[in-house]
Short mmCIF file of all heavy atoms in Angstrom, two decimals:
data_model
loop_
_atom_site.label_atom_id
_atom_site.label_comp_id
_atom_site.label_asym_id
_atom_site.label_seq_id
_atom_site.Cartn_x
_atom_site.Cartn_y
_atom_site.Cartn_z
N ILE A 39 -26.13 -74.66 -45.00
CA ILE A 39 -26.92 -75.54 -44.13
C ILE A 39 -26.01 -76.59 -43.50
O ILE A 39 -26.16 -76.93 -42.32
CB ILE A 39 -28.14 -76.20 -44.84
CG1 ILE A 39 -29.02 -76.98 -43.84
CG2 ILE A 39 -27.73 -77.12 -45.96
CD1 ILE A 39 -29.69 -76.15 -42.79
N LEU A 40 -25.03 -77.08 -44.25
CA LEU A 40 -24.08 -78.04 -43.67
C LEU A 40 -23.23 -77.39 -42.59
O LEU A 40 -22.95 -78.00 -41.55
CB LEU A 40 -23.19 -78.64 -44.77
CG LEU A 40 -23.88 -79.53 -45.79
CD1 LEU A 40 -22.89 -79.97 -46.87
CD2 LEU A 40 -24.54 -80.73 -45.14
N VAL A 41 -22.82 -76.13 -42.82
CA VAL A 41 -22.07 -75.39 -41.80
C VAL A 41 -22.91 -75.27 -40.53
O VAL A 41 -22.44 -75.53 -39.43
CB VAL A 41 -21.64 -74.00 -42.33
CG1 VAL A 41 -21.24 -73.07 -41.20
CG2 VAL A 41 -20.49 -74.14 -43.32
N GLU A 42 -24.15 -74.85 -40.69
CA GLU A 42 -25.04 -74.67 -39.53
C GLU A 42 -25.16 -75.96 -38.73
O GLU A 42 -24.98 -75.98 -37.51
CB GLU A 42 -26.41 -74.21 -40.01
CG GLU A 42 -27.48 -74.16 -38.94
CD GLU A 42 -27.37 -72.97 -38.01
OE1 GLU A 42 -26.51 -72.98 -37.11
OE2 GLU A 42 -28.18 -72.03 -38.20
N VAL A 43 -25.45 -77.05 -39.41
CA VAL A 43 -25.65 -78.33 -38.73
C VAL A 43 -24.35 -78.79 -38.05
O VAL A 43 -24.36 -79.21 -36.89
CB VAL A 43 -26.19 -79.40 -39.70
CG1 VAL A 43 -26.15 -80.79 -39.08
CG2 VAL A 43 -27.60 -79.04 -40.15
N GLU A 44 -23.24 -78.68 -38.76
CA GLU A 44 -21.98 -79.18 -38.20
C GLU A 44 -21.49 -78.34 -37.02
O GLU A 44 -20.99 -78.90 -36.03
CB GLU A 44 -20.90 -79.25 -39.29
CG GLU A 44 -19.65 -79.99 -38.85
CD GLU A 44 -19.89 -81.44 -38.46
OE1 GLU A 44 -20.82 -82.09 -38.97
OE2 GLU A 44 -19.10 -81.94 -37.61
N ILE A 45 -21.62 -77.02 -37.09
CA ILE A 45 -21.25 -76.19 -35.94
C ILE A 45 -22.08 -76.59 -34.73
O ILE A 45 -21.56 -76.76 -33.63
CB ILE A 45 -21.42 -74.69 -36.23
CG1 ILE A 45 -20.39 -74.20 -37.24
CG2 ILE A 45 -21.34 -73.87 -34.94
CD1 ILE A 45 -20.64 -72.78 -37.75
N ARG A 46 -23.36 -76.75 -34.93
CA ARG A 46 -24.24 -77.12 -33.82
C ARG A 46 -23.89 -78.49 -33.27
O ARG A 46 -23.92 -78.71 -32.06
CB ARG A 46 -25.69 -77.01 -34.23
CG ARG A 46 -26.08 -75.55 -34.43
CD ARG A 46 -27.54 -75.40 -34.79
NE ARG A 46 -27.87 -74.01 -34.94
CZ ARG A 46 -28.15 -73.18 -33.93
NH1 ARG A 46 -28.11 -73.61 -32.69
NH2 ARG A 46 -28.45 -71.92 -34.17
N LYS A 47 -23.55 -79.43 -34.14
CA LYS A 47 -23.15 -80.76 -33.66
C LYS A 47 -21.89 -80.67 -32.82
O LYS A 47 -21.81 -81.25 -31.75
CB LYS A 47 -22.93 -81.70 -34.86
CG LYS A 47 -24.23 -82.20 -35.47
CD LYS A 47 -24.07 -82.87 -36.81
CE LYS A 47 -23.16 -84.03 -36.87
NZ LYS A 47 -23.15 -84.67 -38.22
N ARG A 48 -20.92 -79.91 -33.28
CA ARG A 48 -19.64 -79.83 -32.58
C ARG A 48 -19.70 -79.01 -31.29
O ARG A 48 -18.83 -79.13 -30.45
CB ARG A 48 -18.56 -79.24 -33.50
CG ARG A 48 -18.20 -80.16 -34.64
CD ARG A 48 -16.98 -79.68 -35.35
NE ARG A 48 -16.80 -80.34 -36.62
CZ ARG A 48 -15.79 -80.10 -37.43
NH1 ARG A 48 -14.87 -79.21 -37.11
NH2 ARG A 48 -15.70 -80.74 -38.57
N THR A 49 -20.71 -78.15 -31.17
CA THR A 49 -20.80 -77.30 -29.98
C THR A 49 -22.00 -77.68 -29.10
O THR A 49 -22.37 -76.91 -28.22
CB THR A 49 -20.92 -75.81 -30.36
OG1 THR A 49 -22.15 -75.58 -31.06
CG2 THR A 49 -19.73 -75.35 -31.20
N SER A 50 -22.58 -78.81 -29.36
CA SER A 50 -23.77 -79.25 -28.61
C SER A 50 -24.86 -78.18 -28.65
O SER A 50 -25.49 -77.88 -27.63
CB SER A 50 -23.40 -79.61 -27.17
OG SER A 50 -22.47 -80.65 -27.14
N ASN A 51 -25.06 -77.59 -29.81
CA ASN A 51 -26.09 -76.58 -30.07
C ASN A 51 -25.86 -75.27 -29.30
O ASN A 51 -26.77 -74.45 -29.21
CB ASN A 51 -27.49 -77.12 -29.79
CG ASN A 51 -27.89 -78.15 -30.80
OD1 ASN A 51 -27.60 -78.03 -31.98
ND2 ASN A 51 -28.54 -79.20 -30.34
N LYS A 52 -24.66 -75.06 -28.79
CA LYS A 52 -24.39 -73.82 -28.08
C LYS A 52 -24.04 -72.68 -29.03
O LYS A 52 -24.18 -71.51 -28.69
CB LYS A 52 -23.26 -74.02 -27.07
CG LYS A 52 -23.68 -74.91 -25.90
CD LYS A 52 -22.54 -75.08 -24.92
CE LYS A 52 -22.98 -75.90 -23.74
NZ LYS A 52 -23.05 -77.32 -24.02
N LYS A 53 -23.57 -73.03 -30.21
CA LYS A 53 -23.23 -72.03 -31.23
C LYS A 53 -23.75 -72.50 -32.57
O LYS A 53 -24.04 -73.68 -32.76
CB LYS A 53 -21.73 -71.80 -31.28
CG LYS A 53 -21.21 -71.20 -29.99
CD LYS A 53 -19.84 -70.67 -30.13
CE LYS A 53 -19.45 -70.04 -28.79
NZ LYS A 53 -18.13 -69.51 -28.80
N GLY A 54 -23.87 -71.54 -33.49
CA GLY A 54 -24.36 -71.87 -34.81
C GLY A 54 -23.89 -70.86 -35.83
O GLY A 54 -22.99 -70.05 -35.57
N LEU A 55 -24.54 -70.88 -36.96
CA LEU A 55 -24.18 -69.99 -38.06
C LEU A 55 -24.28 -68.52 -37.65
O LEU A 55 -23.48 -67.69 -38.09
CB LEU A 55 -25.08 -70.28 -39.27
CG LEU A 55 -24.82 -69.48 -40.52
CD1 LEU A 55 -23.39 -69.63 -41.01
CD2 LEU A 55 -25.81 -69.91 -41.61
N GLU A 56 -25.23 -68.20 -36.81
CA GLU A 56 -25.39 -66.81 -36.36
C GLU A 56 -24.10 -66.30 -35.73
O GLU A 56 -23.65 -65.19 -36.04
CB GLU A 56 -26.54 -66.72 -35.35
CG GLU A 56 -26.78 -65.31 -34.83
CD GLU A 56 -27.93 -65.25 -33.84
OE1 GLU A 56 -28.72 -66.20 -33.74
OE2 GLU A 56 -28.01 -64.22 -33.15
N GLN A 57 -23.48 -67.08 -34.86
CA GLN A 57 -22.25 -66.65 -34.21
C GLN A 57 -21.10 -66.56 -35.22
O GLN A 57 -20.27 -65.66 -35.13
CB GLN A 57 -21.87 -67.60 -33.06
CG GLN A 57 -22.70 -67.40 -31.82
CD GLN A 57 -24.14 -67.81 -32.02
OE1 GLN A 57 -24.43 -68.78 -32.71
NE2 GLN A 57 -25.05 -67.07 -31.43
N ALA A 58 -21.06 -67.48 -36.17
CA ALA A 58 -20.03 -67.44 -37.19
C ALA A 58 -20.14 -66.15 -38.01
O ALA A 58 -19.14 -65.46 -38.24
CB ALA A 58 -20.13 -68.66 -38.11
N LEU A 59 -21.35 -65.81 -38.43
CA LEU A 59 -21.54 -64.61 -39.24
C LEU A 59 -21.28 -63.33 -38.45
O LEU A 59 -20.71 -62.38 -38.98
CB LEU A 59 -22.94 -64.60 -39.85
CG LEU A 59 -23.20 -65.72 -40.87
CD1 LEU A 59 -24.65 -65.69 -41.32
CD2 LEU A 59 -22.25 -65.63 -42.05
N ARG A 60 -21.64 -63.33 -37.19
CA ARG A 60 -21.34 -62.18 -36.34
C ARG A 60 -19.83 -62.01 -36.18
O ARG A 60 -19.31 -60.90 -36.20
CB ARG A 60 -22.01 -62.31 -34.98
CG ARG A 60 -23.50 -62.11 -35.00
CD ARG A 60 -24.10 -62.34 -33.61
NE ARG A 60 -25.52 -62.30 -33.63
CZ ARG A 60 -26.26 -61.19 -33.48
NH1 ARG A 60 -25.66 -60.04 -33.27
NH2 ARG A 60 -27.57 -61.26 -33.51
N GLY A 61 -19.12 -63.13 -36.02
CA GLY A 61 -17.67 -63.09 -35.91
C GLY A 61 -17.02 -62.58 -37.18
O GLY A 61 -16.04 -61.81 -37.14
N ILE A 62 -17.54 -63.00 -38.31
CA ILE A 62 -17.03 -62.52 -39.60
C ILE A 62 -17.24 -61.02 -39.72
O ILE A 62 -16.32 -60.27 -40.07
CB ILE A 62 -17.69 -63.27 -40.77
CG1 ILE A 62 -17.20 -64.73 -40.79
CG2 ILE A 62 -17.42 -62.57 -42.09
CD1 ILE A 62 -17.98 -65.63 -41.71
#
């Protein structure tokens, strides 16, 4: 949940955990 929130904060909600998991 911290990863999700922080990715969204750093990308202005343009990316999130979904993109991270797809990349993995």
Side-chain angles (χ1 to χ4, degrees):
I39 187 65
L40 293 176
V41 163
E42 172 77 282
V43 169
E44 190 60 29
I45 290 170
R46 290 182 179 279
K47 283 168 57 176
R48 291 191 194 180
T49 65
S50 299
N51 291 321
K52 291 181 178 77
K53 295 194 178 179
L55 182 57
E56 180 180 346
Q57 284 68 37
L59 294 175
R60 287 177 187 271
I62 290 168

